[in-house]
Amino acid sequence: MTLKEIVSGGKRIVFFGGAGVSTESGIPDFRSEDGLYRTRYGVSPETVLSAGYFQAHTAEFYRFYRDKMLPLAAQPNPVHRKLAEWEREGKLLAVVTQNIDGLHQKAGSRRVYELHGSIHRNTCLRCGKKFSAQAIVRAEGVPHCDCGGLIKPDVVLYGEPLDEKTVEGALAALAQADLLIVAGTSLTVYPAAGFVRYFRGEHLVLINRDKTAYDGECELVIHKNLGEVFSEL
């Protein structure tokens, strides 16, 4: 069966996406340029984006974060738009994403489980006041609340647990799905990658530029550009 045929028969679709979905909107996958980042910042992106680094080197964290993690001008691509369309048609149960850019919501999707949080939510660690991503961009140096508290992005840093309610919602959607489309992810980042194991439906499709360890377990594997694939649906 072709992807179009599988999708046409899907009534409870769940989409599980990774960084490859956002690269279609011009947002680079920082892992692919680790050498460049290491040269500029002195440490790897994984180190900068860790809870320990945020606490010990907050100014350096925010220098990297503003430079590389706030693509506020990025726009939804054919993948985001098609998923929002499927949700409006009642075919899509949910989007489960490892991305933090909010492009699924910008395209119109409502049932989005952001496993790693969102750049669009920022919280004062002292009083709990919320701030937009634009507020982080406008702030100079380390952003602080009016109360004096440090503001932290609501993104899951390395060394931090995933949000329990988000995980519960994502797993519940996966358990109900009859079609799971995994796209733009190598399925190597845990615990998120392990979520695929909770799918018990009929059709498992994987769309990714490179091969993954899950290729042999899927009904259909497509190694092509995501934008091209979704533009044809």
Side-chain angles (χ1 to χ4, degrees):
M1 294 179 71
T2 66
L3 178 59
K4 195 166 188 176
E5 289 171 335
I6 294 174
V7 169
S8 66
K11 297 180 179 179
R12 299 184 307 280
I13 303 172
V14 169
F15 179 88
F16 183 97
V21 177
S22 293
T23 56
E24 298 285 331
S25 293
I27 300 175
D29 176 1
F30 65 77
R31 289 185 186 81
S32 65
E33 300 186 37
D34 185 65
L36 171 64
Y37 290 172
R38 188 183 298 276
T39 299
R40 180 166 184 180
Y41 295 94
V43 293
S44 70
E46 287 86 354
T47 298
V48 178
L49 297 174
S50 67
Y53 196 90
F54 175 79
Q55 295 167 2
H57 307 281
T58 311
E60 285 301 299
F61 169 90
Y62 268 109
R63 184 165 75 94
F64 177 92
Y65 186 78
R66 286 195 181 93
D67 191 19
K68 297 296 182 183
M69 306 300 291
L70 292 172
L72 301 187
Q75 296 298 317
N77 61 58
V79 182
H80 300 105
R81 292 194 291 270
K82 180 59 69 173
L83 293 171
E85 177 186 317
W86 289 349
E87 183 178 320
R88 289 193 297 272
E89 293 174 351
K91 291 173 63 70
L92 185 81
L93 279 181
V95 169
V96 181
T97 180
Q98 298 177 78
N99 298 329
I100 60 175
D101 48 51
L103 289 181
H104 285 292
Q105 291 92 330
K106 201 170 188 178
S109 291
R110 296 184 177 184
R111 292 185 294 275
V112 182
Y113 295 101
E114 297 171 304
L115 298 179
H116 296 157
S118 173
I119 61 173
H120 297 285
R121 299 188 299 270
N122 302 272
T123 305
C124 172
L125 296 180
R126 179 180 293 176
C127 72
K129 183 178 178 179
K130 302 297 181 181
F131 295 85
S132 67
Q134 288 80 4
I136 301 301
V137 172
R138 291 193 299 267
E140 295 184 6
V142 177
H144 286 85
C145 178
D146 293 338
C147 76
L150 173 64
I151 299 172
K152 179 185 179 297
D154 285 352
V155 298
V156 179
L157 301 177
Y158 289 96
E160 293 182 331
L162 303 184
D163 177 74
E164 288 187 12
K165 288 186 178 180
T166 301
V167 169
E168 290 173 0
L171 294 182
L174 284 165
Q176 297 175 54
D178 60 2
L179 165 58
L180 174 61
I181 300 176
V182 180
T185 174
S186 59
L187 294 174
T188 56
V189 177
Y190 284 83
F195 282 33
V196 178
R197 297 292 184 190
Y198 287 82
F199 173 65
R200 295 290 183 269
E202 185 177 356
H203 304 287
L204 175 58
V205 174
L206 194 149
I207 311 167
N208 196 52
R209 181 189 63 189
D210 304 315
K211 293 182 179 180
T212 78
Y214 280 77
D215 284 14
E217 302 180 31
C218 301
E219 175 181 355
L220 178 64
V221 178
I222 302 174
H223 294 301
K224 290 176 65 175
N225 179 282
L226 276 176
E228 178 184 348
V229 173
F230 272 78
S231 293
E232 296 173 352
L233 293 175

